[in-house]
Amino acid sequence: MFSDNKKPMESFGGQPNRIEKNTVIKGNITSQADFRIDGKLDGNVKTSGKVVIGKDGLIKGKVECVNADIEGNFDGELFVSELLSLKSSAKIEGTVNVSKLSVEPGATFNASCSMGKGVASPSANGAAHKIGANKANEPAKVS
């Protein structure tokens, strides 16, 4: 049975979602709300909210979100359009694309990282994203 006596987390687009400790999920998740993972997820997460990986949490896959706080483990591709905050217990492997990055001392960050305001999530057609790729090789215009 579920009870409604818990205080809700602040969320962007609806009720927040939570994957509890000792829960393992294999598959993809799409949501408009915040997500907190204290269990294990083998798959992808796409949300217009915030992703929090708790101290015992693990995600293996691709994550696309606005903000992220990581205390646990992440292995894969991470696209954060605003702020990625890594706590001292965080362990990150893979590829990270982020606008802003905050790392506490003690965090393990073994990832290739792209930063800047132009960083965007991959396009819907699955093509690899390149920032300003069309403009880099354009010839100068003469007026």
Side-chain angles (χ1 to χ4, degrees), residues 87-109:
K87 306 302 181 190
S88 61
S89 57
K91 292 181 182 154
I92 308 300
E93 303 268 340
T95 305
V96 175
N97 294 280
V98 64
S99 180
K100 294 179 257 181
L101 177 64
S102 169
V103 182
E104 287 184 0
T108 302
F109 189 76

Side-chain angles (χ1 to χ4, degrees), residues 42 48 78 90:
D42 188 359
S48 57
L78 183 57

Side-chain angles (χ1 to χ4, degrees), residues 19-143:
I19 298 172
E20 295 289 342
K21 189 175 178 181
N22 300 321
T23 301
V24 177
I25 294 180
K26 291 185 180 183
N28 299 326
I29 297 171
T30 302
S31 176
Q32 297 296 313
D34 295 347
F35 247 95
R36 180 175 176 96
I37 291 105
D38 290 306
K40 296 183 180 11
L41 172 66
D42 188 359
N44 304 323
V45 177
K46 185 172 185 175
T47 179
S48 57
K50 181 178 190 174
V51 172
V52 177
I53 302 176
K55 204 167 200 166
D56 297 315
L58 166 67
I59 295 179
K60 283 189 173 187
K62 180 166 66 172
V63 172
E64 297 177 59
C65 60
V66 176
N67 293 299
D69 287 347
I70 301 180
E71 294 180 78
N73 297 302
F74 178 82
D75 186 357
E77 292 179 88
L78 183 57
F79 297 90
V80 181
S81 61
E82 292 295 326
L83 175 65
L84 169 61
S85 178
L86 303 179
K87 306 302 181 190
S88 61
S89 57
K91 292 181 182 154
I92 308 300
E93 303 268 340
T95 305
V96 175
N97 294 280
V98 64
S99 180
K100 294 179 257 181
L101 177 64
S102 169
V103 182
E104 287 184 0
T108 302
F109 189 76
N110 293 322
S112 61
C113 183
S114 297
M115 289 182 66
K117 291 206 179 260
V119 174
S121 62
S123 63
N125 65 9
H129 76 284
K130 294 180 183 176
I131 300 169
N134 293 342
K135 303 210 182 225
N137 294 325
E138 281 184 7
K141 297 195 178 185
V142 179
S143 45

Side-chain angles (χ1 to χ4, degrees), residues 5-25:
N5 60 0
K6 290 184 180 180
K7 291 181 183 177
M9 291 186 341
E10 190 176 313
S11 66
F12 285 96
Q15 290 293 334
N17 299 284
R18 190 172 192 139
I19 298 172
E20 295 289 342
K21 189 175 178 181
N22 300 321
T23 301
V24 177
I25 294 180

